[in-house]
Amino acid sequence: MDHPVDATNEDGADEHLLKEAEKIAVALGRMFPGLCEVVLHDLRDPEHAIRAIENNLSGRQVGDPATELGLARIADPDYPGVVQNYPNRFPDGRPAKSTSIGIKNAAGEYVAALCLNLDVSVLSPVTLALSNLVATDSEHRERPLETLRDRTARELREAVEARAAERAATPRSLSREEKKALVRQLQRDGYFDSRDAAQTIADLLGVSRATVYNYAKRGVTRP
């Protein structure tokens, strides 16, 4: 004989899960102030899903709607319970590394999601500082003894990101004058000798290829 489901008990159990998850969200956020945003989504109410947001880095508020990932979990109980270390971006363009953890009730339905958004841009200056710390010969850092040709796109990207990190910024968030100075430094360091360098630099800085050549001015011949 089937027993009727006690909806009141079920709702109470779901609410208990949310309250426990909220304690975790608050604790995690306060452990990493200024670095990691922690958001608890109540998937029972997708239009007003955000139940708690600790260490707010995205500008969202309690009562804001669920994200696409939250909606996907609501629609599909078989959606992965953990989506870890995926690239993301805050509204102002800062890069983030995110992890989303789905929380199911006893009936196997997603009722909540705990999301962590790590501000990667904050770590860039730290990474640069550590690189400088372990460098073996700082005497020639500003003026290299030689220029290596055929630099790869990866080397070029690392150079652009490192120079932006020196200003505690991302390449796209640099001012026009800072981008111009960066392009000219890359030119002096020989990065324009590599194939498609101008287009790669343009993509990283969020400008056109023509703008990159304009910043570089004399000394670069268009292919």
Side-chain angles (χ1 to χ4, degrees):
M1 179 177 179
D2 294 334
H3 296 283
V5 176
D6 189 333
T8 302
N9 288 344
E10 185 177 348
D11 291 343
D14 291 352
E15 182 62 23
H16 177 74
L17 280 176
L18 267 293
K19 287 182 178 179
E20 292 299 300
E22 189 168 351
K23 291 192 295 186
I24 297 172
V26 171
L28 286 174
R30 292 180 181 177
M31 187 173 180
F32 302 103
L35 184 62
C36 185
E37 175 185 80
V38 184
V39 186
L40 177 63
H41 296 268
D42 184 346
L43 300 183
R44 300 172 302 173
D45 184 10
E47 293 298 320
H48 308 90
I50 294 184
R51 170 145 173 171
I53 181 164
E54 192 70 26
N55 198 22
N56 193 330
L57 298 175
S58 64
R60 291 176 292 173
Q61 303 295 327
V62 170
D64 281 355
T67 63
E68 296 88 345
L69 199 154
L71 296 176
R73 281 202 172 104
I74 294 171
D76 182 9
D78 293 326
Y79 196 89
V82 177
V83 182
Q84 194 158 26
N85 295 334
Y86 59 92
N88 212 336
R89 195 165 291 276
F90 291 110
D92 62 2
R94 286 173 297 161
K97 183 171 76 170
S98 298
T99 291
S100 177
I101 306 164
I103 300 172
K104 287 184 176 181
N105 61 12
E109 302 167 331
Y110 280 115
V111 294
L114 185 64
C115 301
L116 296 84
N117 302 308
L118 183 69
D119 186 351
V120 179
S121 70
V122 175
L123 300 177
S124 297
V126 177
T127 302
L128 178 65
L130 291 174
S131 297
N132 289 339
L133 182 65
V134 300
T136 56
D137 189 357
S138 61
E139 179 182 356
H140 305 292
R141 188 177 301 152
E142 296 300 323
R143 300 179 66 86
L145 295 178
E146 61 180 352
T147 296
L148 301 177
R149 295 180 179 272
D150 298 327
R151 297 180 189 268
T152 66
R154 178 179 178 181
E155 290 173 326
L156 179 55
R157 183 176 297 104
E158 289 175 348
V160 171
E161 291 177 347
R163 285 166 173 77
E166 291 173 357
R167 297 169 173 80
T170 61
R172 286 175 174 256
S173 68
L174 292 171
S175 68
R176 181 177 181 275
E177 289 305 315
E178 288 173 333
K179 289 179 179 179
K180 183 184 295 185
L182 190 154
V183 168
R184 292 182 179 179
Q185 183 61 53
L186 293 172
Q187 178 188 353
R188 288 192 294 271
D189 290 346
Y191 283 96
F192 277 84
D193 293 333
S194 63
R195 182 181 180 184
D196 298 326
Q199 187 60 57
T200 299
I201 295 170
D203 292 340
L204 290 169
L205 297 182
V207 299
S208 68
R209 189 164 177 262
T211 297
V212 169
Y213 282 118
N214 183 52
Y215 286 167
K217 291 188 175 180
R218 293 181 295 275
V220 177
T221 302
R222 298 193 187 203

